[in-house]
Amino acid sequence: MSNFSHYTLQEAIYGLLSGDSTLSSLVTAVYDRPPQDSAYPYITLGESTINDWSTKTSNGTEQLLTLHIWSRNGGRKESALIMQRVYQLLHQASLSVTGQALVQIRFVTSDITLESDGYTYQGIMRFRAFLESN
């Protein structure tokens, strides 16, 4: 499996999300790892999993990526609005991924949960991407 990298897809997603003015009006930032005391709401790049889906004629990976949306002031509604914009940006997006060709990226599932502190909501979004090596 060539071009095995969690980072290249995350880099492309980060660029898309952080460069969108509509999303920027909804969140304070998009982070890989947020600084302590980050202002809400914000998005973090979460867990990623890579599976090989190479064939006899091409090398490729299936990548599962999780995004976390953190909200306090607007509760579920704020989380849902942010998640809606993330969906609009990423589902079936055309992304430039270094060293690979994105075949497809699709939304898989989402959840909104109330954290144990009683006032922080976490939205969780999962996407599946298929990439071929260039």
Side-chain angles (χ1 to χ4, degrees):
M1 176 173 40
S2 62
N3 285 325
F4 175 86
S5 174
H6 286 265
Y7 182 70
T8 55
L9 178 61
Q10 287 185 357
E11 182 179 45
I13 290 172
Y14 174 84
L16 177 67
L17 297 181
S18 63
D20 182 69
S21 61
T22 301
L23 185 61
S24 294
S25 72
L26 298 172
V27 298
T28 59
V30 177
Y31 297 110
D32 182 15
R33 180 177 179 196
Q36 283 199 318
D37 300 322
S38 297
Y40 290 84
Y42 61 88
I43 297 172
T44 56
L45 301 175
E47 304 76 20
S48 64
T49 303
I50 294 179
N51 297 303
D52 184 23
W53 69 276
S54 298
T55 66
K56 289 181 182 181
T57 58
S58 65
N59 290 319
T61 58
E62 171 197 38
Q63 296 192 24
L64 306 171
L65 178 74
T66 303
L67 300 174
H68 299 271
I69 291 81
W70 301 95
S71 171
R72 283 195 174 160
N73 296 328
R76 290 183 200 281
K77 181 179 180 180
E78 182 176 63
S79 298
L81 290 172
I82 295 166
M83 293 167 77
Q84 180 180 9
R85 182 60 183 163
V86 170
Y87 174 89
Q88 291 169 343
L89 290 169
L90 281 180
H91 181 70
Q92 298 187 11
S94 295
L95 295 172
S96 177
V97 180
T98 303
Q100 300 177 72
L102 178 65
V103 176
Q104 181 181 68
I105 185 167
R106 295 186 55 86
F107 168 77
V108 177
T109 187
S110 68
D111 299 296
I112 298 175
T113 61
L114 180 62
E115 295 295 294
S116 60
D117 65 9
Y119 58 93
T120 303
Y121 285 90
Q122 179 184 184
I124 302 167
M125 299 183 78
R126 292 178 182 87
F127 291 85
R128 173 177 286 126
F130 294 94
L131 298 111
E132 290 181 336
S133 298
N134 286 341

